[in-house]
Amino acid sequence: CALGGAPTPTPEPTPPDTRPEGTFTDRWTLQEALQIPADAEKTAQTTMPLITSWPQGAQKTLPDQWVWDTWPLKTEDMQIATVRAADGTPYYVLVHLSVDDSVLPGARHDLATLRYSYSTDGRSWQPGGYLFPEGVVLGSRNWAGSALLKADGGVEVYYTATGERNEGPVQGPSSVLERQQVGDVQGALTADGQLVPQSGSGFPNEGGIGFEQRIALADGVKAEVVNGRVVFSGTWKHRVILRADGTLYQTVAQSDAGPLYGFRDPWAFRNPADGKRYVLFTGNMGGLKSQQTCQPEDLGDAAFRAGLGALNAEMPLHNGAIGLAVETAPGAWKLLNPLLTARCVNQELERPHLVMKGGQVYLFFSSHIGKFAPYGDLRDRGEEGLYGFVGDSLRGDYTPLNRGGLVLNTPLTQRYQSYSYDVLPGGLTTLFVDVPGIGNQDISVVSTLPPEQQRAVFGGTLGKTLRIDISGSSTSLVSELNYGQIIP
Ligand code: FRU
């Protein structure tokens, strides 16, 4: 400081508050996402093997059912759980989104019901039936979540209650619920009782069916092995534990433009760093979607911003977030700031989950080609893939893994062959076979095919598990294991 007067101290920059309940939110910036390799640069490090055949009919993960998002019963500390039989034999459990395979694949999201299967080797699965065979199930259908086996033998299932219906108590077996749900999709039933999506191959939107998503928890049961079968004894108790608040997380009403919002896919765990229980989830940034704009911190550093081309007005309609909530007292949950947002980069950061390794926190999620924001060749770089980041704590200053965050991509000649990746301990990564049968065509072709063809091009079953090696800030695909394998 120069002449005279009291020196003005230079204010110390305030460090970002990276405690789990802190205010720091990392960004998946446009600058980072544009580092995803272009097609010609994608290598075997991330490119999955081509799916040329997959189990069909009775060989599927669940005979007579389509299966897609799937998760194993885990312990609170993120390990695969086992339910012990009286003779000590360990049983593994998987929970699946499922629907009768007479339903057209594109309509499955409108009817999704939780079923489970069990296994003594972690590879060959026996159908267990409905997870919630009776009682109150929230939502008109159930989307992805997670399941914990607690130390006292109690089971908790976190799931997405989607649709406004059935928020109040609905009694009766799920099979009855499924029939009611079919009835909910107005005008979409054929004479032979099959559900036909109204348009598009994904969500048959705006067909008299609601898309409000709430995070629900079901507990009150214990897992047991009875006559070589895993069963849940007791009565499931369901309640909604988290709703979008409109400030941190977008509500369905605020999703007034662009693609559908998300408030779903709860993934529960205990954070080893502080011993508290948290839920990660798929969300969007709070506020009216149509009013959002790309902010400098969404885009990248000053040099990158200086070189940016014109920003497409649809970019800020893509404002995906990975949400976080903490259990503040037994049964009481509170929303926290998002861990990561992707405004002007990507709309859907689906099924977020963690793997802890070498003192680092690895954050993984799935996203679709068409959910990247329209900027330059971003949508060509983006894939139906697994994406990941590494940080040194839960609310870390995350660094994209590999280049731009791409961990696994589908082969370029068959971009829609698989989806919904779940990285398990040891890097085993499960996925489901989506639509390998359309080869190089765009996903939108599916709904133009005759119904039998739509079923024929779809997998609706677990694919071969992949093993990835995770080290520092990179991953590499090392091997392909058995269908639905969760244990090395
Ligand atoms: C991913 C996903 C999930 C959602 C489910 C709905 O495959 O979009 O985010 O829970 O499918 O079917």
Side-chain angles (χ1 to χ4, degrees), residues 221-443:
V221 306
K222 290 202 178 226
E224 292 175 340
V225 179
V226 177
N227 298 328
R229 224 181 142 238
V230 172
V231 296
F232 298 99
S233 57
T235 305
W236 290 104
K237 290 199 307 278
H238 299 252
R239 63 204 169 272
V240 170
I241 56 164
L242 291 164
R243 294 173 192 275
D245 62 341
T247 306
L248 296 174
Y249 299 100
Q250 195 161 80
T251 62
V252 69
Q254 292 174 332
S255 184
D256 62 338
L260 179 71
Y261 93 126
F263 191 80
R264 61 175 181 268
D265 303 348
W267 193 85
F269 66 103
R270 192 182 287 281
N271 182 16
D274 61 11
K276 293 188 193 166
R277 306 213 308 153
Y278 293 89
V279 163
L280 286 184
F281 57 90
T282 296
N284 288 93
M285 295 169 74
L288 209 56
K289 179 94 97 182
S290 61
Q291 309 276 298
Q292 304 210 358
T293 52
C294 305
Q295 296 298 311
E297 64 270 24
D298 301 324
L299 300 172
D301 62 27
F304 172 80
R305 296 199 310 268
L308 269 177
L311 298 184
N312 182 317
E314 295 203 351
M315 287 174 70
L317 303 181
H318 301 73
N319 66 351
I322 292 181
L324 185 68
V326 64
E327 190 181 38
T328 51
W333 293 83
K334 182 181 150 202
L335 292 174
L336 300 173
N337 285 290
L339 286 189
L340 184 80
T341 58
R343 184 166 48 201
C344 297
V345 173
N346 191 295
Q347 161 70 4
E348 274 184 356
L349 315 180
E350 298 196 294
R351 300 195 65 202
H353 56 284
L354 302 176
V355 169
M356 306 283 179
K357 196 184 171 203
Q360 299 289 95
V361 180
Y362 290 87
L363 172 63
F364 294 101
F365 56 88
S366 296
S367 197
H368 295 287
I369 298 170
K371 301 296 175 172
F372 281 89
Y375 179 83
D377 63 354
L378 184 59
R379 278 196 184 164
D380 296 328
R381 292 172 184 262
E383 301 292 347
E384 298 289 292
L386 173 70
Y387 298 84
F389 286 73
V390 58
D392 48 22
S393 69
L394 178 58
R395 189 174 288 285
D397 190 354
Y398 283 105
T399 305
L401 293 172
N402 305 330
R403 289 180 50 189
L406 182 67
V407 174
L408 289 174
N409 60 269
T410 46
L412 305 179
T413 52
Q414 206 164 267
R415 295 186 115 126
Y416 297 94
Q417 70 170 24
S418 58
Y419 195 63
S420 209
Y421 307 94
D422 189 12
V423 187
L424 304 175
L428 270 63
T429 304
T430 60
L431 51 93
F432 81 95
V433 184
D434 199 349
V435 280
I438 57 170
N440 218 1
Q441 302 173 83
D442 188 84
I443 187 83

Side-chain angles (χ1 to χ4, degrees), residues 72-82 147-149 356 425-426:
L73 182 66
K74 283 192 169 169
T75 62
E76 286 187 316
D77 58 353
M78 307 179 223
Q79 304 304 306
I80 306 280
T82 52
L148 299 181
L149 178 63
M356 306 283 179

